Amino acid sequence: MKILRRTITGAATGLLLALPGVALAGTTLRVASEEAFATPAKVAAQSALEHVEKTLPDATGGEVSVQLYPGGALGSEKELIKALADGTVDAMVLSPGNAAGIVPEVQLFSASYLFESYDHARAVIKDDGFFEALAQIIEGKQAGFQLAGIGLTGTRNYYSRSRAVETIEDLSGVKMRVMSSPTEFKVWSELGTLPTTIPAPEIYTSLQTGVVDAAESSLPAISGSKYYEVAPYISLTQHQFNLHLFLVSDIAMSRLSEGQQAAVLQAFREAGHIEIDEAIRLSDEVLAFLRERPGVTVTEVDTAPFAQKLRAVQDEVATGLGVEPLLEIIRSHGTQG
């Protein structure tokens, strides 16, 4: 059976089932996430995947349902992407970094200051040309899965045990914990820090004992892991807007009619857009919580000089990965062009 591999845009949901193909009854998709779900939701992916769970049965006349497996119930993201390829998991959401071993081009998204704001990131994610370009890159790997949606989990920000950052000069000589990525090392070295890799479970004690002076994480991580207790100077550098990729197994899609496939792609594309709004709401909640913590200082940062400093690094990373068209689309939606 033919597998649809293109963006579903402008089609009314009621027309999806009119596409050719033999409808297959009683299919349940196993959809996995490494992130833990809660009531109320603490991660934006929960609202996104619950949208798929709720709307897909209606869009397929009850023929396709969804069973969610959050909290790493079926494995870590790196394990899930392998399960996706062999069909033991039907769909998943993951951070681009955990797909880099199969799709190295996604390392572009580790180049800081690609996005100026949530509005900029939203415009890029909703750009059909951007979606199609990334989908084609993933399709070209013939890895057994395809891109179904793109979302956003929030921003990454700087936090320090000693002082806030307001200018690039404030970063000079700072012992900085960064993620294990050549791009991350390139970015933070360019900004003047002394980057080092430390496993995530050791971040708290490393800050507490002075092994490192600072680190960078998402706001929920800073809050949930209580990094603010040992690094109370939080600077809103917003150097990365964390994309989320919704992937669907080719094996799962082959079990569906073309109309059902179209409905699946539509549901996950919508889920990515929902995740953006939920990420903004949750980030605002966490930021309010952090501002209320005794002894914690939250500093707004003029990020324009940082972004300008790293523009050449973005060009270098994009050229090295062969994804200049992706970078061009991203920049076309920003104020700097």
Side-chain angles (χ1 to χ4, degrees):
M1 177 171 294
K2 179 183 178 181
I3 300 176
L4 297 184
R5 294 182 179 275
R6 291 293 174 261
T7 310
I8 306 300
T9 58
T13 301
L15 296 178
L16 291 172
L17 294 178
L19 291 172
V22 180
L24 305 179
T27 299
T28 299
L29 298 181
R30 293 159 55 89
V31 181
S33 171
E34 189 180 71
E35 299 190 76
F37 290 2
T39 303
K42 299 296 184 183
V43 293
Q46 178 173 343
S47 297
L49 292 181
E50 287 177 348
H51 169 80
V52 177
E53 180 185 40
K54 178 181 179 180
T55 62
L56 192 53
D58 290 341
T60 59
E63 299 294 340
V64 181
S65 60
V66 171
Q67 179 67 51
L68 299 180
Y69 293 87
L74 300 183
S76 67
E77 287 189 354
K78 290 186 177 180
E79 292 169 332
L80 287 174
I81 201 168
K82 295 178 182 178
L84 195 67
D86 65 29
T88 54
V89 169
D90 300 316
M92 68 174 295
V93 61
L94 86 166
S95 300
N98 284 326
I102 300 172
V103 189
E105 290 86 348
V106 298
Q107 294 177 79
L108 171 68
F109 306 126
S110 293
S112 293
Y113 293 109
L114 291 174
F115 304 105
E116 300 170 7
S117 64
Y118 277 110
D119 286 342
H120 181 191
R122 187 200 308 275
V124 172
I125 290 171
K126 289 190 172 184
D127 185 313
D128 291 338
F130 178 79
F131 181 91
E132 181 68 9
L134 185 56
Q136 287 182 353
I137 289 171
I138 293 173
E139 180 180 347
K141 304 303 176 183
Q142 298 184 342
F145 53 82
Q146 65 175 286
L147 183 67
I150 306 173
L152 184 70
T153 66
T155 64
R156 298 185 72 85
N157 296 273
Y158 176 96
Y159 50 103
S160 168
R161 59 197 301 269
S162 58
R163 65 172 182 172
V165 162
E166 296 185 50
T167 68
I168 294 175
E169 289 70 28
D170 293 334
L171 291 172
S172 180
V174 171
K175 292 182 293 183
M176 177 85 178
R177 185 270 174 182
V178 302
M179 292 184 287
S180 181
S181 158
T183 301
E184 297 285 346
F185 268 75
K186 186 183 299 291
V187 163
W188 291 102
S189 295
E190 182 69 19
L191 291 175
T193 74
L194 305 175
T196 187
T197 299
I198 291 174
E202 299 176 19
I203 293 176
Y204 188 101
T205 55
S206 295
L207 286 164
Q208 187 177 44
T209 59
V211 172
V212 293
D213 303 315
E216 56 83 44
S217 299
S218 67
L219 290 174
I222 295 172
S223 171
S225 298
K226 297 186 177 182
Y227 296 144
Y228 61 85
E229 293 180 344
V230 290
Y233 296 92
I234 301 169
S235 302
L236 300 181
T237 49
Q238 295 189 325
H239 48 275
Q240 283 184 25
F241 285 75
N242 293 327
L243 298 190
H244 236 186
L245 304 182
F246 295 82
L247 304 175
V248 180
S249 167
D250 286 345
I251 293 175
M253 292 290 272
S254 72
R255 301 199 307 265
L256 305 178
S257 71
E258 289 186 31
Q260 292 167 350
Q261 291 175 23
V264 168
L265 295 177
Q266 182 76 12
F268 278 107
R269 189 77 191 274
E270 292 170 354
H273 300 168
I274 287 169
E275 189 179 35
I276 300 170
D277 294 331
E278 187 67 3
I280 294 171
R281 184 186 70 80
L282 290 171
S283 293
D284 287 344
E285 285 185 0
V286 172
L287 189 55
F289 169 82
L290 290 171
R291 290 185 190 276
E292 293 171 356
R293 297 307 93 195
V296 172
T297 300
V298 178
T299 302
E300 301 281 347
V301 179
D302 177 8
T303 61
F306 294 79
Q308 187 60 41
K309 177 79 170 176
L310 293 174
R311 194 173 176 91
V313 172
Q314 296 170 3
D315 291 331
E316 181 181 344
V317 171
T319 300
L321 296 171
V323 291
E324 297 95 327
L326 284 181
L327 181 58
E328 183 178 344
I329 294 172
I330 291 171
R331 287 178 172 173
S332 73
H333 289 283
T335 61
Q336 302 302 312

